């Protein structure tokens, strides 16, 4: 397993960036491993006493939880993040996760009333994401693609 070999390399020379890259690599095809690397990022962040790394690791774990249908747990984890201390570079990810999770919850809601409420929350977080990404072309493009997919749903 080439990624396992990368992990052994990282263990000899730990830094949060490497663990983050492993999370990104596994996220696409193995959520269990991705979650493990997010937990390891959290352990490292504690040892390094880096609040922004802790927030990033928590968001990685929330992303996996949301992707696997653990919406309540993902929202609880995101709710523990203090937005006032969140660094600017993590705001886009933060709003993206909320937008995505509420969108998924809306997609699977049983009643029309609940569905509308989740989509309302999705729209609020999409607006926040657009504001954060206003000066970032790629972030805006990602958000725009999300809007197109949401309109296609109706």
């Amino acid at each position: 397993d080439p990624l396992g070999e990368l992990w052994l390399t990282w263990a000899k020379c730990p830094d949060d960036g490497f663990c983050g890259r492993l999370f990104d690599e596994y996220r696409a095809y193995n959520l269990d491993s991705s979650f493990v690397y997010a937990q390891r990022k959290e352990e490292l962040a504690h040892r390094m006493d880096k609040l922004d790394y802790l927030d990033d690791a928590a968001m990685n774990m929330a992303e996996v939880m949301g992707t696997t249908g653990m919406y309540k747990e993902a929202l609880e984890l995101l709710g523990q993040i203090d937005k006032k201390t969140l660094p600017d570079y993590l705001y886009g990810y933060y709003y993206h996760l909320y937008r995505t999770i509420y969108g998924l919850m809306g997609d699977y809601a049983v009643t029309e009333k609940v569905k509308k409420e989740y989509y309302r929350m999705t729209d609020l977080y999409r607006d926040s994401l657009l504001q954060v990404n206003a000066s970032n072309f790629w972030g805006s493009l990602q958000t725009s693609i999300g809007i197109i997919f949401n309109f296609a749903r109706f």
Side-chain angles (χ1 to χ4, degrees):
D1 176 14
L3 291 175
E5 291 173 25
L6 283 175
W7 176 252
L8 291 175
T9 303
W10 172 83
K12 295 176 189 167
C13 175
D15 73 43
D16 181 67
F18 191 81
C19 215
R21 288 192 301 275
L22 285 171
F23 170 82
D24 290 339
E25 292 297 323
Y26 273 107
R27 174 177 46 199
Y29 69 94
N30 189 327
L31 291 172
D32 290 342
S33 293
S34 187
F35 192 79
V36 167
Y37 288 118
Q39 288 176 312
R40 290 185 181 161
K41 279 178 68 172
E42 182 182 46
E43 291 170 16
L44 267 175
H46 277 294
R47 279 192 268 157
M48 296 169 72
D49 197 28
K50 300 277 284 179
L51 183 58
D52 57 330
Y53 290 7
L54 280 168
D55 290 338
D56 188 42
M59 288 189 284
N60 290 164
M61 288 185 283
E63 180 179 351
V64 173
M65 290 173 178
T67 303
T68 59
M70 298 174 63
Y71 308 128
K72 179 180 179 266
E73 294 83 354
L75 291 175
E76 286 174 358
L77 195 52
L78 288 172
Q80 294 173 11
I81 295 171
D82 184 359
K83 233 173 65 170
K84 294 178 192 132
T85 62
L86 195 65
D88 290 344
Y89 78 92
L90 287 176
Y91 269 103
Y93 188 31
Y94 178 80
Y95 290 132
H96 166 74
L97 289 174
Y98 268 111
R99 182 196 64 80
T100 301
I101 292 166
Y102 277 116
L104 289 168
M105 290 170 70
D107 290 345
Y108 293 104
V110 176
T111 67
E112 201 57 39
K113 180 180 178 184
V114 172
K115 185 181 293 270
K116 284 181 183 180
E117 177 58 19
Y118 289 146
Y119 287 153
R120 184 185 72 76
M121 295 299 293
T122 301
D123 291 342
L124 288 174
Y125 283 107
R126 181 181 303 110
D127 289 346
S128 297
L129 185 56
L130 282 168
Q131 288 176 7
V132 167
N133 289 331
S135 63
N136 177 341
F137 172 77
W138 292 112
S140 296
L141 181 62
Q142 176 187 13
T143 303
S144 298
I145 290 169
I147 291 170
I148 292 167
F149 284 124
N150 280 331
F151 280 122
R153 176 175 57 220
F154 295 105

